[in-house]
Amino acid sequence: MILFRYLTREVLLTMSAVAGILLLVIMGSRFIRYFSDAAEGDIPITILGSLMMYHLPGFMELILPLSFFLGIMLAYGQLYMNSEITVMVACGMSPTRLLKVTLLPASVVAVLVGLCSLWLTPYGALQTETAIEEQRSRLDVSVLAPGRFQEFGGGRTAYIGSFSSDGTEMQDVLVHEQYQPGNESTHDYITRAASGYQETRLDTGSRFLVLNSGERYGVTPGQRSAERLTFERYTLRLGLNRERQALDSLEYATTLALWNNPDPRAQAQWQWRAGLPLMVFVLALMAQPLSRVNPRQGRFGKLLPAVFLYVAYLSMLLAVVDAIGSESWPTTLGVWPIHGLFLALGLLLLWRSQRKGMR
């Protein structure tokens, strides 16, 4: 029991460190991308935190298997370097028992990966796309940044000089409304105002941009004439929220719906989700013999080949998933031959390790 707690703690601590570093890198990259979209006015900055949280399960389902794989190799490699496993073997600990100790934390990691892949990841992807689509469907000036020309829906482009201290009133407003096919008017309109604010009518749900002290010009491309209107107060209707697009992608479907869907693309998505927890056990089986290193070699000696092995495993899975979706690979076979291939490789490595002995 003491050895079990010691080995499990070493593996899980190393795995947590690796997972934290990988998660920081991946989430940082995605955050920069969303922050750039917010700076362009595509999404409001207030929903960045929610979007990152919704993406977290999708990151974890890929990070956890890799970090657990590397955690076993680094932890056991350090034990080999310190001759601690040599002492354990001398005290009667067999390779089979060490494998059983390894598979127990692997079961915990596989459950976490299964929760992410089978439930949390599709739910988070759906919530992310729903939030982004909701922002796209709204003709709202709240996403605009001062000092830039930005589109905000309906063929409108706006420029705002600055916002008031409380963010409710805009200064130096310029709005360009481009002619849209199907509209009654054939003009392009340019409206300039000293200030403005947005208001919503609670009874109808309509939103309006109220402009103060400005001018409105109506021009038709190719004609020399133009309309000019001077106003003290002008109300520009932004309109009702348009109907959001249906989110029917298989990426957002529940696992049960994919199971009952005979479409090859749905079956490919289901097998991908179900195969990720199995991948944890296969990687754990390969990691134990690969962690066996010579003290003079260093525990990082086999790390690079192990990473290449993981990349090959993941790439082959993705290739087969795409082949199933395009109906060039039988659905009945699915991704299971790939898991079987690397399971056989892990058993072969384990057999060779046991044959040589844990010296």
Side-chain angles (χ1 to χ4, degrees):
M1 184 59 68
I2 296 177
L3 286 178
F4 167 73
R5 290 199 301 265
Y6 174 66
L7 294 174
T8 302
R9 184 177 67 249
E10 290 296 319
V11 171
L12 293 182
L13 285 178
T14 308
M15 182 198 76
S16 300
V18 175
I21 295 174
L22 294 177
L23 187 63
L24 183 63
V25 172
I26 296 176
M27 291 195 69
S29 175
R30 182 56 63 95
F31 181 79
I32 292 174
R33 173 184 170 187
Y34 278 145
F35 194 81
S36 177
D37 292 340
E40 294 291 335
D42 296 333
I43 57 176
I45 197 171
T46 54
I47 68 171
L48 286 183
S50 300
L51 294 180
M52 296 305 298
M53 290 299 298
Y54 289 142
H55 274 294
L56 186 60
F59 297 149
M60 296 303 295
E61 70 177 15
L62 296 177
I63 289 176
L64 285 178
L66 175 59
S67 59
F68 185 66
F69 181 49
L70 298 179
I72 294 175
M73 293 198 59
L74 294 175
Y76 286 0
Q78 184 63 40
L79 296 179
Y80 274 111
M81 295 246 339
N82 298 336
S83 301
E84 294 182 59
I85 291 187
T86 304
V87 176
M88 295 178 190
V89 173
C91 294
M93 187 172 187
S94 64
T96 304
R97 186 180 176 187
L98 182 61
L99 178 62
K100 292 179 180 179
V101 173
T102 306
L103 292 180
L104 286 176
S107 302
V108 178
V109 177
V111 170
L112 295 177
V113 173
L115 286 175
C116 291
S117 64
L118 299 176
W119 177 47
L120 295 177
T121 296
Y123 175 78
L126 177 61
Q127 295 301 317
T128 299
E129 192 63 25
T130 300
I132 295 178
E133 181 62 24
E134 181 179 359
Q135 294 301 321
R136 290 172 181 170
S137 67
R138 296 175 56 188
L139 301 176
D140 199 343
V141 297
S142 61
V143 299
L144 300 180
R148 304 182 64 176
F149 287 93
Q150 295 174 271
E151 296 184 1
F152 65 103
R156 296 183 175 96
T157 303
Y159 174 88
I160 298 173
S162 61
F163 280 95
S164 60
S165 57
D166 57 1
T168 59
E169 186 173 352
M170 300 166 284
Q171 309 294 333
D172 299 327
V173 183
L174 178 67
V175 180
H176 172 242
E177 300 173 80
Q178 189 175 12
Y179 163 72
Q180 298 290 318
N183 292 351
E184 297 180 359
S185 175
T186 59
H187 295 305
D188 286 1
Y189 289 98
I190 300 176
T191 306
R192 181 186 62 84
S195 63
Y197 60 92
Q198 181 177 294
E199 69 174 12
T200 302
R201 304 288 172 82
L202 298 180
D203 53 344
T204 61
S206 298
R207 285 173 292 110
F208 297 89
L209 179 62
V210 181
L211 302 175
N212 301 316
S213 303
E215 298 174 329
R216 180 176 173 86
Y217 299 91
V219 297
T220 301
Q223 296 184 7
R224 298 181 180 180
S225 60
E227 299 178 0
R228 179 176 180 270
L229 172 67
T230 304
F231 58 85
E232 290 294 328
R233 185 175 187 269
Y234 185 85
T235 301
L236 178 64
R237 181 176 180 178
L238 298 178
L240 294 168
N241 292 346
R242 66 177 177 87
E243 184 179 356
R244 292 180 302 189
Q245 298 179 0
L247 301 177
D248 56 354
S249 174
L250 295 175
E251 181 184 357
Y252 317 128
T254 63
T255 303
L256 182 60
L258 294 177
W259 169 270
N260 297 323
N261 191 344
D263 185 74
R265 295 181 297 117
Q267 291 299 307
Q269 187 70 19
W270 174 82
Q271 293 182 20
W272 163 258
R273 296 181 187 179
L276 289 178
L278 178 60
M279 187 180 186
V280 176
F281 293 103
V282 176
L283 290 175
L285 194 64
M286 292 190 297
Q288 180 177 327
L290 288 175
S291 64
R292 181 173 177 267
V293 295
N294 190 307
R296 292 189 295 268
Q297 184 181 10
R299 62 172 178 167
F300 299 102
K302 295 182 180 179
L303 195 60
L304 189 59
V307 172
F308 286 148
L309 189 63
Y310 172 82
V311 171
Y313 191 179
L314 190 63
S315 300
M316 293 178 68
L317 281 178
L318 292 174
V320 172
V321 167
D322 291 338
I324 295 174
S326 61
E327 301 185 23
S328 58
W329 182 270
T331 307
T332 53
L333 285 178
V335 299
W336 314 121
I338 306 301
H339 292 293
L341 173 63
F342 282 88
L343 178 61
L345 178 60
L347 292 174
L348 177 62
L349 293 174
L350 188 64
W351 176 76
R352 289 188 58 189
S353 177
Q354 293 183 356
R355 185 181 178 185
K356 291 181 179 180
M358 301 179 65
R359 296 187 297 271

